Amino acid sequence: MYTPTHFKMEESDALALIETLSFATLVSLGEGGLLSTPLPLLLDRSGDGVRLIGHVARANPHWKRFAPAVPSLAIFQGGDGYVTPAWYAEKQKTGKVVPTWNYVSVQAHGRLEVVEDAAGLLDIVTRLTNRHEAGRERAWQVGDAPDDYIAAMLRGIVGIVLHVDRLEAKAKLSQNKDEQDRAAIRAGMAGVLAIP
């Protein structure tokens, strides 16, 4: 991803964004071209590196057709929005302005691993559930469903683990503009986001 220095995010900020967003598009090279799957991914920093953990439907060909020797890519997209030249003070002065787009994006590159054993799948599903049910007054737990039902559901999925070896993170948020323009952009974005 092309990332000028003033838009580059620090690794700690990129990991925090992954943890916050937690929904990505997984892209892999496969037989016949690119494969892509949107899915939630759990950030795991418990071992020696960074891993992203999730699962796909067993019927999804992504897990069978990716090229194991070629890195896969998980793309996390944060907020984004169009920035009109009308918000810049320079528009009124010289007219020398153009539109742009502000956005936040993190790309995690790494080796994809498939998990098919029941214990590994149960761990993935339990961890994902606990992460997304955290903070709810009456958090649902995997153990709330009957064991035979969970066993049947696990047979319908395949776990995936992306072992991250490189992160690229970009926050293009008009850092290259002066404070007057950034304030005008914030005000303009607030107005756009307030529209139902």
Side-chain angles (χ1 to χ4, degrees), residues 1 4 8 13 25 30 33 59 66 71 80 101 104 130 134 144 148:
M1 169 170 54
K8 185 176 181 176
D13 294 329
T25 299
F66 76 95
D80 70 279
W101 205 276
V104 178
N130 291 347
D144 292 347
D148 59 337

Side-chain angles (χ1 to χ4, degrees), residues 7 14 28 47 53 57 59 64 70-71 73 87-88 112 127 143 146 184 189:
F7 296 142
S28 303
I53 300 168
K64 289 187 257 187
V70 178
L73 172 68
W87 292 337
Y88 298 137
L112 195 59
R127 291 175 67 187
M189 288 285 190

Side-chain angles (χ1 to χ4, degrees), residues 113-186:
E113 171 191 359
V114 171
V115 177
E116 292 189 81
D117 68 282
L121 290 171
L122 181 60
D123 179 61
I124 289 170
V125 168
T126 300
R127 291 175 67 187
L128 278 165
T129 300
N130 291 347
R131 158 65 170 92
H132 295 289
E133 289 285 328
R136 296 179 58 87
E137 187 175 324
R138 300 175 118 191
W140 184 85
Q141 297 179 6
V142 173
D144 292 347
D147 290 343
D148 59 337
Y149 177 76
I150 294 299
M153 294 291 99
L154 292 178
R155 287 191 293 274
I157 63 171
V158 173
I160 55 110
V161 178
L162 183 68
H163 298 270
V164 178
D165 58 32
R166 181 167 51 106
L167 280 175
E168 295 179 296
K170 181 177 185 178
K172 184 183 173 296
L173 301 171
S174 299
Q175 299 96 314
N176 57 332
K177 299 295 181 187
D178 64 28
E179 182 51 42
Q180 181 182 6
D181 281 343
R182 286 196 306 271
I185 292 166
R186 284 192 298 273

